[in-house]
Amino acid sequence: AGLLALGLGALAPAAAAAPPASPTGRVAAAGEVAPGARLRATVSGLVAPARLQVREAGRWRSRARPLPGKGVRVLRAPDRPRRWAVRGLGADGAVTPARRVRVRYLRLAAVGDVNLGDGPGAQLGLRGPAFPWTSVGGVLRRADLAFANLECAVSRRGRPVPKTYTFRGSPTSLSAMARRGGIDVVDLANNHSLDYGRAAFRDELRSLRGRGLVGVGGGRDAAAAYRPRIVRRLGLRVAFVAFSVILPYDFRAAGSRSGTAWGDPHAVRRAVRRAGRNSDVVVAAFHWGIERHTRESAEQRALAGVALRAGADAVIGAHPHVLQPIRRPAGHVVAYSLGNFVFSAGSPGTQRTGILETDLAAHRVAASRLRRATIVNTRPVLAR
């Protein structure tokens, strides 16, 4: 038996030798990427032509075309969260040290109406511009992207237009919303962005740019108002479009006139399709619905359907000032209204609010949840 075992052992294949390490080779790539996203990897210091390899099922496999020398290749990340690794392989068989990459979902945090004037503006004057964000700011800053409906003009110029309610905030409050509130993208397509006229609206657009905030659904002309705005995070290109169907109709952009994007179904379809051609995820926001109604209207359902069929992955609504249902069709989310957020909330039900946290991968919503909060003295306070 011993001789037989020895004979069989002699026939066993030898373990594969580890490839030699390159003394100069390097791979540079991001340490985190979203599922299905593009990972840009730079290879240097290898004998050309070099290849990129990824570790899959315990084995290193070559991906993409050979590189003539130092160069960049784009790899598609796995479609589920996992630990991943990338390395370079030279023509002489030498390899670079592995670059470890974490594949995780991109976290989008979305909130409802943010008014920096009126009652909240008075509290900001008394308590400082960071006051609205003292409870929720940490959650919003930890998200990869944070989105809000900016429900006011932001300017020191202009006069109120003739309507029942007009809201105006200060540029200082806008700075705090970005720094302390962690907001990255704001929806301008609503019935208050032009409350103090078009000159004030142009000031608001400049203020947003100056603070690194992305405004969507409004612009200096119609082309800018309907143009998708793309933000890159974790290798994903996230496109935002926004529309309003709430009067005054005169707030809409037309031709060379500044204003907001109107939610005509044909315009919605065109903008969402355009957004999808140059992005990995499309978020469509709407100002719609009936104030203080806790259920969505037929118009809301119809417009959400237009956006989803055109390629939107997430639909986020505002205007009713109360929470409305959150629907989760496969791979998508539709939040018909996220209610008030930073707002004077005196009517029944308008104090209930929250942060919609959505996990994003390329071309799909993996999960979503509402972190509930209550508005106290115009400030959202997270539930314990």
Side-chain angles (χ1 to χ4, degrees):
L3 290 174
L4 179 61
L6 179 61
L8 292 175
L11 296 174
S22 168
T24 58
R26 294 288 183 272
V27 169
E32 292 186 318
V33 68
R38 292 171 173 83
L39 176 72
R40 291 173 57 85
T42 303
V43 182
S44 61
L46 290 176
V47 175
R51 288 183 177 274
L52 274 174
Q53 292 188 313
V54 298
R55 191 167 180 81
E56 297 174 331
R59 298 181 60 187
W60 287 99
R61 302 176 187 274
S62 294
R63 295 272 292 271
R65 300 188 309 277
L67 291 153
K70 180 178 179 180
V72 178
R73 283 290 181 264
V74 177
L75 303 175
R76 181 73 68 175
D79 62 0
R80 292 288 186 272
R82 54 175 286 190
R83 295 287 180 179
W84 206 36
V86 180
R87 74 179 185 185
L89 172 66
D92 59 352
V95 296
T96 68
R99 170 62 169 163
R100 299 190 182 280
V101 179
R102 180 189 178 199
V103 182
R104 67 170 178 86
Y105 291 123
L106 186 154
R107 175 65 53 82
L108 170 66
V111 301
D113 298 337
V114 174
N115 177 10
L116 302 176
D118 191 52
Q123 292 298 321
L124 291 167
L126 290 172
R127 302 170 186 265
F131 172 68
W133 314 106
T134 49
S135 175
V136 297
V139 172
L140 295 171
R141 290 193 300 271
R142 285 192 295 272
D144 300 296
L145 270 174
F147 173 84
N149 175 51
L150 183 58
E151 186 103 48
C152 64
V154 179
S155 175
R156 294 188 174 90
R157 293 197 298 165
R159 295 182 178 181
V161 301
K163 58 197 289 277
T164 304
Y165 298 105
T166 54
F167 303 139
R168 173 164 64 174
S170 73
T172 302
S173 301
L174 200 63
S175 299
M177 185 174 76
R179 292 197 311 270
R180 302 299 296 274
I183 301 298
D184 301 292
V185 182
V186 297
D187 182 357
L188 301 174
N190 57 62
N191 58 322
H192 289 286
S193 288
L194 279 80
D195 274 358
Y196 281 74
R198 284 186 159 80
F201 183 61
R202 289 193 294 272
D203 290 344
E204 181 170 353
L205 296 175
R206 284 192 292 269
S207 292
L208 291 171
R209 289 194 299 270
R211 288 155 179 82
L213 288 160
V214 175
V216 61
R220 65 179 182 273
D221 54 29
Y226 289 93
R227 181 179 302 130
R229 302 299 305 274
I230 296 176
V231 182
R232 289 172 170 81
R233 294 286 193 280
L234 296 185
L236 286 183
R237 300 164 300 169
V238 184
F240 292 85
V241 289
F243 315 91
S244 176
V245 292
I246 302 299
L247 298 174
Y249 188 57
D250 186 56
F251 281 11
R252 78 194 189 286
S256 61
R257 186 181 69 180
S258 64
T260 60
W262 189 255
D264 170 81
H266 299 291
V268 171
R269 189 178 297 108
R270 285 195 302 270
V272 171
R273 286 176 175 171
R274 179 183 178 189
R277 286 195 291 269
N278 298 297
S279 68
D280 304 296
V281 177
V282 178
V283 179
F286 289 89
H287 212 71
W288 57 7
I290 303 169
E291 291 188 355
R292 293 184 290 280
H293 278 220
T294 58
R295 307 292 292 186
E296 74 274 19
S297 67
E299 181 187 40
Q300 288 172 274
R301 288 193 295 271
L303 281 174
V306 170
L308 292 173
R309 288 190 296 273
D313 300 286
V315 174
I316 298 172
H319 177 68
H321 299 293
V322 293
L323 292 173
Q324 289 185 340
I326 298 173
R327 314 289 187 195
R328 296 177 175 87
H332 303 79
V333 65
V334 179
Y336 281 106
S337 173
L338 292 178
N340 293 327
F341 197 67
V342 176
F343 223 88
S344 295
S347 302
T350 60
Q351 304 92 344
R352 296 174 58 241
T353 185
I355 301 173
L356 178 67
E357 294 181 323
T358 302
D359 293 340
L360 301 177
H363 308 297
R364 66 187 172 93
V365 173
S368 63
R369 68 204 64 82
L370 183 68
R371 295 190 61 159
R372 295 189 178 273
T374 302
I375 296 174
V376 180
N377 201 13
T378 77
R379 177 184 72 121
V381 179
L382 285 170
R384 295 187 180 277

Tab-separated table of all heavy atoms in Angstrom, residues 26-55:
chain	number	residue	atom	x	y	z
A	26	ARG	N	2.811	48.901	-11.499
A	26	ARG	CA	1.795	49.437	-10.603
A	26	ARG	C	0.441	49.466	-11.330
A	26	ARG	O	0.373	49.691	-12.537
A	26	ARG	CB	2.131	50.866	-10.145
A	26	ARG	CG	3.373	50.985	-9.281
A	26	ARG	CD	3.137	50.407	-7.882
A	26	ARG	NE	4.295	50.578	-7.027
A	26	ARG	CZ	5.307	49.704	-6.961
A	26	ARG	NH1	5.292	48.611	-7.724
A	26	ARG	NH2	6.321	49.924	-6.161
A	27	VAL	N	-0.630	49.280	-10.553
A	27	VAL	CA	-1.991	49.505	-11.040
A	27	VAL	C	-2.639	50.550	-10.144
A	27	VAL	O	-2.622	50.420	-8.914
A	27	VAL	CB	-2.834	48.206	-11.013
A	27	VAL	CG1	-4.307	48.526	-11.253
A	27	VAL	CG2	-2.357	47.250	-12.080
A	28	ALA	N	-3.177	51.594	-10.741
A	28	ALA	CA	-3.901	52.636	-9.998
A	28	ALA	C	-5.375	52.547	-10.364
A	28	ALA	O	-5.730	52.535	-11.544
A	28	ALA	CB	-3.358	54.018	-10.330
A	29	ALA	N	-6.230	52.455	-9.342
A	29	ALA	CA	-7.678	52.380	-9.566
A	29	ALA	C	-8.373	52.811	-8.291
A	29	ALA	O	-7.781	52.807	-7.206
A	29	ALA	CB	-8.108	50.967	-9.958
A	30	ALA	N	-9.641	53.202	-8.420
A	30	ALA	CA	-10.415	53.595	-7.248
A	30	ALA	C	-10.566	52.407	-6.303
A	30	ALA	O	-10.608	51.261	-6.721
A	30	ALA	CB	-11.789	54.097	-7.676
A	31	GLY	N	-10.649	52.715	-5.000
A	31	GLY	CA	-10.790	51.658	-4.009
A	31	GLY	C	-12.212	51.174	-3.824
A	31	GLY	O	-12.432	50.125	-3.204
A	32	GLU	N	-13.198	51.920	-4.365
A	32	GLU	CA	-14.596	51.544	-4.261
A	32	GLU	C	-15.280	51.801	-5.590
A	32	GLU	O	-14.967	52.771	-6.287
A	32	GLU	CB	-15.315	52.330	-3.161
A	32	GLU	CG	-14.873	51.990	-1.758
A	32	GLU	CD	-15.726	52.695	-0.721
A	32	GLU	OE1	-16.033	53.885	-0.931
A	32	GLU	OE2	-16.091	52.064	0.284
A	33	VAL	N	-16.246	50.959	-5.910
A	33	VAL	CA	-16.999	51.112	-7.155
A	33	VAL	C	-18.368	50.478	-6.946
A	33	VAL	O	-18.523	49.567	-6.130
A	33	VAL	CB	-16.224	50.461	-8.330
A	33	VAL	CG1	-16.171	48.955	-8.179
A	33	VAL	CG2	-16.771	50.862	-9.670
A	34	ALA	N	-19.366	50.988	-7.653
A	34	ALA	CA	-20.713	50.449	-7.539
A	34	ALA	C	-20.885	49.244	-8.450
A	34	ALA	O	-20.184	49.114	-9.463
A	34	ALA	CB	-21.740	51.517	-7.884
A	35	PRO	N	-21.814	48.346	-8.143
A	35	PRO	CA	-22.054	47.193	-9.016
A	35	PRO	C	-22.407	47.623	-10.439
A	35	PRO	O	-23.245	48.502	-10.653
A	35	PRO	CB	-23.237	46.484	-8.341
A	35	PRO	CG	-23.140	46.862	-6.906
A	35	PRO	CD	-22.637	48.275	-6.917
A	36	GLY	N	-21.738	46.998	-11.407
A	36	GLY	CA	-21.998	47.301	-12.803
A	36	GLY	C	-21.379	48.582	-13.307
A	36	GLY	O	-21.557	48.926	-14.479
A	37	ALA	N	-20.651	49.289	-12.442
A	37	ALA	CA	-20.067	50.570	-12.840
A	37	ALA	C	-18.772	50.359	-13.603
A	37	ALA	O	-18.229	49.244	-13.682
A	37	ALA	CB	-19.806	51.433	-11.611
A	38	ARG	N	-18.265	51.430	-14.164
A	38	ARG	CA	-16.995	51.398	-14.883
A	38	ARG	C	-15.854	51.723	-13.926
A	38	ARG	O	-15.901	52.732	-13.223
A	38	ARG	CB	-17.003	52.407	-16.032
A	38	ARG	CG	-17.961	52.051	-17.154
A	38	ARG	CD	-18.073	53.202	-18.145
A	38	ARG	NE	-18.859	52.845	-19.313
A	38	ARG	CZ	-20.178	52.879	-19.361
A	38	ARG	NH1	-20.866	53.250	-18.292
A	38	ARG	NH2	-20.827	52.542	-20.455
A	39	LEU	N	-14.830	50.891	-13.935
A	39	LEU	CA	-13.634	51.134	-13.139
A	39	LEU	C	-12.488	51.475	-14.083
A	39	LEU	O	-12.111	50.667	-14.935
A	39	LEU	CB	-13.277	49.894	-12.308
A	39	LEU	CG	-11.980	50.006	-11.505
A	39	LEU	CD1	-12.169	50.968	-10.336
A	39	LEU	CD2	-11.522	48.647	-11.003
A	40	ARG	N	-11.943	52.667	-13.923
A	40	ARG	CA	-10.790	53.082	-14.722
A	40	ARG	C	-9.523	52.645	-14.003
A	40	ARG	O	-9.291	53.020	-12.851
A	40	ARG	CB	-10.785	54.598	-14.908
A	40	ARG	CG	-11.913	55.112	-15.801
A	40	ARG	CD	-11.954	56.632	-15.795
A	40	ARG	NE	-10.689	57.216	-16.224
A	40	ARG	CZ	-10.332	57.436	-17.481
A	40	ARG	NH1	-11.165	57.103	-18.469
A	40	ARG	NH2	-9.172	57.991	-17.780
A	41	ALA	N	-8.725	51.852	-14.672
A	41	ALA	CA	-7.476	51.352	-14.097
A	41	ALA	C	-6.302	51.783	-14.970
A	41	ALA	O	-6.348	51.632	-16.201
A	41	ALA	CB	-7.510	49.832	-13.973
A	42	THR	N	-5.254	52.302	-14.354
A	42	THR	CA	-4.044	52.734	-15.047
A	42	THR	C	-2.917	51.763	-14.713
A	42	THR	O	-2.665	51.474	-13.538
A	42	THR	CB	-3.643	54.154	-14.623
A	42	THR	OG1	-4.728	55.044	-14.885
A	42	THR	CG2	-2.424	54.624	-15.383
A	43	VAL	N	-2.243	51.270	-15.742
A	43	VAL	CA	-1.146	50.318	-15.572
A	43	VAL	C	0.162	50.992	-15.987
A	43	VAL	O	0.216	51.678	-17.006
A	43	VAL	CB	-1.373	49.055	-16.428
A	43	VAL	CG1	-0.255	48.042	-16.202
A	43	VAL	CG2	-2.719	48.431	-16.108
A	44	SER	N	1.211	50.797	-15.194
A	44	SER	CA	2.514	51.366	-15.543
A	44	SER	C	3.618	50.429	-15.076
A	44	SER	O	3.413	49.583	-14.198
A	44	SER	CB	2.690	52.746	-14.889
A	44	SER	OG	2.622	52.638	-13.473
A	45	GLY	N	4.792	50.566	-15.678
A	45	GLY	CA	5.989	49.866	-15.218
A	45	GLY	C	6.076	48.407	-15.592
A	45	GLY	O	6.883	47.667	-15.020
A	46	LEU	N	5.289	47.926	-16.577
A	46	LEU	CA	5.323	46.537	-17.009
A	46	LEU	C	5.913	46.429	-18.413
A	46	LEU	O	5.893	47.388	-19.190
A	46	LEU	CB	3.915	45.938	-17.002
A	46	LEU	CG	3.260	45.708	-15.646
A	46	LEU	CD1	1.833	45.209	-15.848
A	46	LEU	CD2	4.050	44.708	-14.813
A	47	VAL	N	6.416	45.232	-18.745
A	47	VAL	CA	6.889	44.977	-20.098
A	47	VAL	C	5.676	44.904	-21.021
A	47	VAL	O	4.718	44.154	-20.765
A	47	VAL	CB	7.695	43.661	-20.161
A	47	VAL	CG1	8.079	43.325	-21.599
A	47	VAL	CG2	8.936	43.764	-19.278
A	48	ALA	N	5.701	45.704	-22.074
A	48	ALA	CA	4.568	45.751	-23.001
A	48	ALA	C	4.619	44.571	-23.969
A	48	ALA	O	5.698	44.048	-24.272
A	48	ALA	CB	4.602	47.067	-23.761
A	49	PRO	N	3.449	44.148	-24.476
A	49	PRO	CA	2.106	44.645	-24.127
A	49	PRO	C	1.610	44.018	-22.819
A	49	PRO	O	1.759	42.821	-22.606
A	49	PRO	CB	1.245	44.198	-25.308
A	49	PRO	CG	1.919	42.952	-25.805
A	49	PRO	CD	3.394	43.150	-25.571
A	50	ALA	N	1.044	44.840	-21.962
A	50	ALA	CA	0.554	44.383	-20.661
A	50	ALA	C	-0.952	44.174	-20.713
A	50	ALA	O	-1.646	44.712	-21.569
A	50	ALA	CB	0.908	45.412	-19.596
A	51	ARG	N	-1.445	43.388	-19.760
A	51	ARG	CA	-2.880	43.137	-19.641
A	51	ARG	C	-3.344	43.441	-18.223
A	51	ARG	O	-2.557	43.398	-17.276
A	51	ARG	CB	-3.206	41.679	-19.965
A	51	ARG	CG	-3.087	41.302	-21.425
A	51	ARG	CD	-3.492	39.858	-21.639
A	51	ARG	NE	-3.456	39.469	-23.046
A	51	ARG	CZ	-4.451	39.636	-23.900
A	51	ARG	NH1	-5.588	40.176	-23.481
A	51	ARG	NH2	-4.346	39.262	-25.148
A	52	LEU	N	-4.641	43.725	-18.131
A	52	LEU	CA	-5.278	43.816	-16.820
A	52	LEU	C	-5.915	42.472	-16.496
A	52	LEU	O	-6.511	41.826	-17.361
A	52	LEU	CB	-6.352	44.900	-16.811
A	52	LEU	CG	-5.902	46.322	-16.517
A	52	LEU	CD1	-7.061	47.280	-16.706
A	52	LEU	CD2	-5.369	46.445	-15.093
A	53	GLN	N	-5.789	42.075	-15.233
A	53	GLN	CA	-6.416	40.846	-14.771
A	53	GLN	C	-7.291	41.144	-13.551
A	53	GLN	O	-6.982	42.045	-12.751
A	53	GLN	CB	-5.366	39.804	-14.383
A	53	GLN	CG	-4.563	39.270	-15.545
A	53	GLN	CD	-3.691	38.102	-15.121
A	53	GLN	OE1	-3.010	38.141	-14.109
A	53	GLN	NE2	-3.710	37.038	-15.926
A	54	VAL	N	-8.372	40.393	-13.418
A	54	VAL	CA	-9.224	40.495	-12.227
A	54	VAL	C	-9.334	39.105	-11.605
A	54	VAL	O	-9.249	38.086	-12.305
A	54	VAL	CB	-10.625	41.039	-12.567
A	54	VAL	CG1	-10.540	42.443	-13.124
A	54	VAL	CG2	-11.344	40.120	-13.547
A	55	ARG	N	-9.502	39.086	-10.307
A	55	ARG	CA	-9.621	37.809	-9.607
A	55	ARG	C	-11.093	37.413	-9.532
A	55	ARG	O	-11.910	38.093	-8.915
A	55	ARG	CB	-9.031	37.920	-8.210
A	55	ARG	CG	-8.876	36.566	-7.508
A	55	ARG	CD	-8.006	36.679	-6.280
A	55	ARG	NE	-7.849	35.400	-5.601
A	55	ARG	CZ	-7.000	34.454	-5.948
A	55	ARG	NH1	-6.195	34.649	-6.993
A	55	ARG	NH2	-6.908	33.317	-5.278
